[in-house]
Amino acid sequence: MVSKIISFSILTLIVSIVLINYFSRVKPNHPLADLNVQEIIQEYNYPVEVHNVVTEDGYILTLHRIPHGRGNLSRKRKPILLLHGLLQSAWDFVHLGPNQSLAFVLSEEGYDVWLGSVRGTTWSRNHTNLDPDKDAAFWNYTIHELGVYDLPAFVDYVLEKTEQKSIHYLGYSQGTIAFFIMGSEKTDYLSKIKFMAAFSPAFFLKDPISPIVKFLANNWRSLQGLLNFFNYRELFGRGDLFSSYMKFVCHDENSVLINLCIHTHFSIFGYSYDELNKSMLPLTAANTPCGVSLKQFVHVFQIADSGDFHRYDFGTEGNLEKYGQEQPPHYDVSRVTTPVAIYYSSNDWAVNINNMDRVLKTVPNVVKSYKVPLEDFNHLDFLYAKHVGDLLFNVLLDDLSKY
């Protein structure tokens, strides 16, 4: 039995190496595909600053700042912090360019825009003591650490640099999870956020519509065991098999493979043909997905499986050792008194709309509940849809102006 497992492991490794080598030969066919976050902001003629932020537990994170728009140099600008979704980074707020990417839209509306990239992503793979390529300890974190270390570090840094007492905050998907963890665990930070915008709030994930997400939620224990066996710590990094595959099938909008690219996205996030911008798929694939820890990834599907919002589940014995109880502690969202606006959609296959009633009943200070008025609007459309400006961003800008 052991020899068969070893043989299977070796075969899997060889096949993965061959496929990665094959897929990596094809490069995304887009003129901006080789640019990083700083370079793509500069490409669109916006000012940009790059800041390093060190968390309490030693992770060195990157904050990208767009201090003002291309034509508006006013010094009295309102700081806003944006935090991305799972497998994303600051890149996803800028790569679609002016009039389409949220960071640029906010900048032109008079905001001082700060874009965080959480630990383990392409732009935040540094630590004061640990090497992500050599030290497994670098990847020993869950979503909990994003909420109690990464987001508070970003908030404090922005407040210090802008000399403000509070800021606006927008979280998308995982970015909403980090906020509600911070708000329930570190309530002193609630006064530092004057208004929170939640795009597709993802802390209640019961019954995802996507068959892929549902499968992972129902089988996270097996997934975790398998990946632990192969000694995985990081998933979906820029050079791994899945990332290379996505670059391969999405490399050219005119390729015969583009339908594989489209249906891979849709099978996870929901079908939305009319809002899909095919020309941007090669550029998106160049930098997304951009890395996640195994425990962080599993934590998401634990939450989806249980239907509750709780800390990482180490199993009965592990929970007793870690938390002093058999079940992982729940996050008390009722402690989050910050004014919160909820933005959601009908066709979100990752965050089932049926969870929204529970979200609205649990969050104590919901000042706005907005369902995007397009039945096909999916999970990725919150940032990528062709008409996201008219459908969502204009509503957001109006809500922000009230705070």
Side-chain angles (χ1 to χ4, degrees), residues 345-398:
S345 66
S346 301
N347 192 40
D348 189 333
W349 280 25
V351 182
N352 192 328
I353 191 174
N354 292 333
N355 290 298
M356 285 306 113
D357 282 343
R358 187 178 178 190
V359 169
L360 296 174
K361 291 177 181 177
T362 305
V363 179
N365 193 11
V366 176
V367 296
K368 178 68 170 284
S369 171
Y370 177 75
K371 176 185 172 185
V372 178
L374 180 67
E375 290 302 308
D376 290 339
F377 202 86
N378 73 11
H379 191 70
L380 282 183
D381 285 339
F382 282 87
L383 297 184
Y384 291 174
K386 286 182 181 178
H387 302 100
V388 68
D390 293 334
L391 291 167
L392 180 60
F393 291 171
N394 288 341
V395 177
L396 169 69
L397 292 171
D398 183 58

Side-chain angles (χ1 to χ4, degrees), residues 282-353:
L283 181 58
T284 302
N287 281 285
T288 303
C290 61
V292 63
S293 82
L294 169 59
K295 289 178 70 175
Q296 177 188 353
F297 190 70
V298 169
H299 194 180
V300 171
F301 295 105
Q302 288 180 349
I303 293 171
D305 182 39
S306 69
D308 291 318
F309 189 34
H310 56 77
R311 293 186 63 172
Y312 189 83
D313 189 346
F314 291 93
T316 301
E317 293 184 5
N319 291 335
L320 285 169
E321 180 180 347
K322 178 74 173 180
Y323 310 123
Q325 58 188 58
E326 293 186 357
Q327 299 297 323
H330 285 72
Y331 296 112
D332 187 1
V333 177
S334 68
R335 304 178 75 184
V336 181
T337 55
T338 302
V340 174
I342 304 291
Y343 307 86
Y344 62 99
S345 66
S346 301
N347 192 40
D348 189 333
W349 280 25
V351 182
N352 192 328
I353 191 174

Side-chain angles (χ1 to χ4, degrees), residues 63 79-83 114 116 151 154-155 158 167-170:
L63 260 178
I80 183 169
L81 172 64
L82 276 58
L83 199 61
W114 296 78
L151 182 51
F154 285 145
V155 171
V158 174
I167 61 172
H168 290 88
Y169 174 79
L170 183 141

